[in-house]
Structure formats: C-alpha cells, structure tokens
Amino acid sequence: LIDLCDRKVSLALLAFTYLAPLCEFLSPDFMVYLVGPTGSMKSELSGVFQAHYGPFDRKQLPGSWESTPNALEKQLSDAKDVLTVIDDYAPRGDQGAQSQLNRTVQRIIRGVGNQSGRGRLASNLKHRPTYTPRGLLLTSGEDLPPGQSIVARMLTIPLERDAVDLPTLTRAQASLGVLPEAMATYLSWLQPQLDDLPAQL
C-alpha cells in the first residue's frame, strides 16, 4: 500500500485508515479529500483503503454524494470508529443540481468539522434523533467544494493523473481480502490497551 503512489499520499491514506478505530478517544474534526483530474485513480485508491473494513472496492463504496444529506448524516453516525468513503464530488451541468450538491457537501463537511449533527423536530414538535459523525470521512473530487470554512475542515491531498503505480494497484486490488485481516489484527492489538488509551492519546 505504501508503494501505490507518492508516499505523501499513500502514508496519509494509510495513517487515516488506521486512525479510524481511535475516533472515540480522539474525536478527529477533519476529513481527507483526494482532489485530482479524471483518470487519477481517486476512486480506486479510496476503494483499496475502504477494503480494510469489509468487501469494498471502487465499484462498491459505502457512500455517494447523490444520497440525501439526512441519509449521509445517519450513515456517518452509524459508522462508528470506521472509515467511510463518500465518492465522488463531480461538477453538475445543471446549476440547480450543482447548488443542491454544494449544499449537501457543505452540510456534511461542516458536521464533520464541528463534530455535530443537525437537530430536527418531528411534526408533533418532539425532537428527532441527532446524528453526529462518529468515524472518519474520506472523499474525492475533481475540484474542491466552495467555501473557505469548508476547505479548512479538510486535509486536502492532490493526486496527479499518473501518480498511482498501476501494477502495484493491480496487485493491491487482487489482495483486498487480506486487508480486513490486517485491520482485525490491529484491533486485537488495541483491545488490551483500551483502558489506558484515553490517557495515552
């Protein structure tokens, strides 16, 4: 995995993947955003690292920016102490669709950065559950979403078109089944330390 691409990229993604189980203790208030042109293998890279948490690949990633904001908030709340990929922030040809996409992205990223959910009332004026992000968010796009305060909540990682070593990527994709075993071993190593981790971290 370290040799998939420039180590500034691969080590950041690897560290982020293994940071996720520590969210309960650290409450990270940022996300990682891979930004690069079409063909830079953003989704493929995201799929490899997401595969630490189950049978995922570039065609089967857990989240999409086509989903509603409420659905994404619930998903990020349910995904406690794990990595969740929401793929792929892409420009829309229709101005209305682009505005809706931007509102969704800004709401979700602001929630991650503030470690907060959106309060809602039901029709009987009782409070509905508030869904706070409890894991880590990795996403990608050809451009950054608008808003300085939104970009400030991201670790932005530029990815060039030829940055990924394709033979290494092919080998990694052929071995995705071993990645959950690596994560399980890491969790087994963490488990006896759980009582001491808050103070150490």
Side-chain angles (χ1 to χ4, degrees):
L1 298 181
I2 292 173
D3 295 330
L4 280 170
C5 50
D6 188 302
R7 292 192 173 196
K8 293 177 184 176
V9 177
S10 62
L11 287 174
L13 291 173
L14 190 62
F16 196 61
T17 300
Y18 281 84
L19 172 66
L22 302 175
C23 283
E24 181 173 340
F25 308 114
L26 293 174
S27 299
D29 58 355
F30 71 101
M31 55 163 290
V32 167
Y33 190 102
L34 287 173
V35 60
T38 299
S40 56
M41 304 293 167
K42 301 182 296 294
S43 297
E44 285 78 1
L45 271 184
S46 299
V48 167
F49 289 95
Q50 181 69 76
H52 283 83
Y53 293 93
F56 298 102
D57 59 28
R58 69 176 180 85
K59 296 180 180 178
Q60 294 178 311
L61 292 168
S64 167
W65 289 116
E66 298 291 337
S67 301
T68 67
N70 289 346
L72 292 174
E73 281 183 347
K74 178 69 163 59
Q75 183 176 13
L76 292 175
S77 181
D78 289 344
K80 183 178 185 296
D81 299 335
V82 301
L83 178 71
T84 299
V85 173
I86 301 179
D87 199 46
D88 133 59
Y89 177 78
R92 304 290 191 266
D94 176 77
Q95 186 174 359
Q98 183 66 47
S99 296
Q100 177 60 45
L101 173 64
N102 288 341
R103 285 193 296 272
T104 298
V105 171
Q106 289 168 355
R107 176 172 153 185
I108 296 303
I109 294 176
R110 189 170 286 112
V112 169
N114 295 338
Q115 288 290 286
S116 64
R118 186 179 186 187
R120 290 179 286 271
L121 293 178
S123 58
N124 60 5
L125 299 184
K126 290 187 176 181
H127 283 279
R128 291 180 175 176
T130 298
Y131 298 113
T132 302
R134 300 190 298 166
L136 292 181
L137 172 59
L138 168 64
T139 191
S140 64
E142 297 177 17
D143 300 302
L144 294 175
Q148 290 183 350
S149 66
I150 298 302
V151 175
R153 290 164 164 84
M154 304 178 195
L155 172 61
T156 303
I157 302 178
L159 197 63
E160 301 300 327
R161 191 181 301 276
D162 298 323
V164 175
D165 184 78
L166 295 182
T168 303
L169 176 63
T170 300
R171 289 196 301 274
Q173 290 173 327
S175 305
L176 292 184
V178 76
L179 297 180
E181 296 180 29
M183 182 57 65
T185 302
Y186 173 60
L187 295 176
S188 296
W189 176 76
L190 281 178
Q191 196 277 330
Q193 308 176 61
L194 290 181
D195 291 341
D196 299 326
L197 276 177
Q200 290 179 20
L201 295 172

